[in-house]
Amino acid sequence: MATTTEKFQPPTVPRDSEGFVKSFNLSSYDCPEADDGCAFFDQYGFVVIANVFTSKQCAETISDIWNVFESFAEQSTRNDENLWDAQRWRRTGHEQVGLLGNASLWTRQIILNRQTPALHTAFATVLGTRKLLTNHDRYALFRPAQMHSERGTVTNLHLDMNPWIYLQDTDNSYQISVLSRLSYKRDNDWITENNEPGVKKYFLFVGIT
C-alpha cells in the first residue's frame, strides 16, 4: 500500500498590528475576554495574557534577574556587553540553557511575582480551576545571539516530565513515593519536586541511569 509523507505546516497564528502574537487582557476570571483567551489556547496550545505584570513589576524583575546574575559573576555586568563572555556566563549556572544557578531562587521579587493576583487569574482562567499548585524554580537569562553565533543555546524541546509515562501511573503512587521523601532542607529538593516524578521514571523506562 502506497503511503504519502505530508510536510508539517504550522498554523498561522493571529498577530497584532506590531507583529506580535495576539494577546488578551483579563480583568477577572469571567471577564468577556476570558472565553476568547481560552478558545485561543484550545486552538493553538498557548495563549499570551498581556496584563499580568505592570511595567513597574517588569522593571523590578529585570533588575532582580541582573542582581542574581551579578551575584554569581561577582561583578557588575549589566551595562557592559563586552563582559557577557562565555567564561563569566558559565559562573552563573547553565550557559547552554540559560538557567541561573543550580537550585531554586528565593529573592523577594520572585516571591512577590508568584503571588500576583493577575498571575493566578491568568492560569486559573485558562486551566479552568482556581485550585492551583506550582513548583518553585529559578530565572533564565539569554544573551543576544543574532550577531554572536557562539552564544546560541542548545536546540531542544524542554519538558521536565514525560507526559505519557507520567500519566500511566493512574494512582500517582510513584510520584507520591518520590515527593514524600523530600525534606526541603536543600534548595535542590524544590528542583526534584518539579522534575523527578516524571523524569526519573522516564529514564528508568528507556534504560538510562
Side-chain angles (χ1 to χ4, degrees):
M1 180 177 178
T3 60
T4 60
T5 302
E6 295 183 6
K7 184 177 180 180
F8 171 72
Q9 295 294 333
T12 300
V13 179
R15 297 180 179 272
D16 61 23
S17 59
E18 297 182 1
F20 294 103
V21 171
K22 177 180 174 60
S23 61
F24 301 85
N25 288 276
L26 304 183
S27 57
S28 65
Y29 301 103
D30 53 1
C31 66
E33 278 203 82
D35 289 341
D36 294 337
C38 290
F40 189 101
F41 178 78
D42 290 340
Q43 181 172 356
Y44 297 104
F46 73 94
V47 64
V48 178
I49 309 300
N51 63 323
V52 172
F53 295 113
T54 65
S55 297
K56 182 174 182 292
Q57 287 174 309
C58 290
E60 290 172 343
T61 301
I62 292 171
S63 179
D64 191 48
I65 292 172
W66 278 113
N67 289 342
V68 171
F69 179 91
E70 291 172 346
S71 71
F72 290 124
E74 298 182 333
Q75 69 180 115
S76 178
T77 57
R78 71 187 70 189
N79 297 317
D80 187 352
E81 189 171 345
N82 293 321
L83 299 178
W84 299 357
D85 57 84
Q87 182 178 359
R88 288 182 180 85
W89 219 262
R90 291 190 193 102
R91 299 178 193 169
T92 68
H94 300 272
E95 176 195 7
Q96 289 298 304
V97 292
L99 293 175
L100 296 183
N102 295 306
S104 296
L105 297 173
W106 299 92
T107 68
R108 179 177 183 273
Q109 190 62 46
I110 287 176
I111 300 298
L112 290 175
N113 285 355
R114 299 179 83 79
Q115 299 179 69
T116 299
L119 182 64
H120 185 273
T121 298
F123 276 98
T125 299
V126 173
L127 298 177
T129 178
R130 301 187 190 187
K131 297 180 179 180
L132 304 178
L133 291 176
T134 179
N135 65 302
H136 194 95
D137 215 312
R138 49 199 152 170
Y139 282 136
L141 181 64
F142 301 89
R143 296 171 292 174
Q146 186 173 7
M147 304 299 293
H148 302 272
S149 59
E150 74 280 2
R151 294 178 177 178
T153 54
V154 294
T155 300
N156 73 326
L157 174 62
H158 186 95
L159 295 177
D160 284 334
M161 296 183 182
N162 182 299
W164 294 275
I165 303 299
Y166 183 84
L167 293 173
Q168 285 178 7
D169 190 0
T170 56
D171 63 357
N172 291 329
S173 59
Y174 178 82
Q175 288 77 21
I176 292 172
S177 70
V178 172
L179 297 176
S180 63
R181 293 195 296 269
L182 298 178
S183 65
Y184 297 98
K185 293 180 179 179
R186 305 178 307 152
D187 285 342
N188 279 342
D189 282 354
W190 296 91
I191 303 298
T192 300
E193 178 189 80
N194 179 30
N195 293 352
E196 200 71 7
V199 170
K200 187 172 183 180
K201 187 175 183 181
Y202 172 67
F203 285 165
L204 293 174
F205 176 77
V206 298
I208 300 174
T209 58

